[in-house]
Amino acid sequence: MAHGTAMNSTLRMVGGALVTALLVTIMSTVTTLQPQMGTANAMLSGIRAAFFATTILSIIGLILSFLLEKKNAS
């Protein structure tokens, strides 16, 4: 049982780090692709894009959670 908990915790930490890196990459890319907007507006645009990506990932996760089947413990 302890190994399962350790594995679950490890996967959560690695997954969180990967998603954080993805969102920072999205924010940075959108910010640098819009230099004509000014620094503050370009940064806000990047943050909005990262939040939009988070929303899409959350919706995908919600849909996938309904597709999981519950297995009986027998």
Side-chain angles (χ1 to χ4, degrees):
M1 186 69 166
H3 294 297
T5 303
M7 189 63 153
N8 186 19
S9 296
T10 301
L11 288 175
R12 281 182 164 209
M13 284 189 282
V14 171
L18 289 174
V19 171
T20 301
L22 175 70
L23 294 176
V24 169
T25 301
I26 290 170
M27 184 185 76
S28 299
T29 303
V30 171
T31 301
T32 56
L33 290 177
Q34 299 177 351
Q36 72 277 7
M37 294 180 70
T39 304
N41 287 333
M43 182 75 76
L44 285 174
S45 181
I47 291 170
R48 283 188 195 109
F51 273 106
F52 182 72
T54 304
T55 302
I56 296 299
L57 289 174
S58 298
I59 290 170
I60 291 171
L62 181 67
I63 291 170
L64 290 176
S65 71
F66 286 117
L67 298 176
L68 291 175
E69 292 183 18
K70 195 173 218 179
K71 295 181 180 179
N72 293 334
S74 44

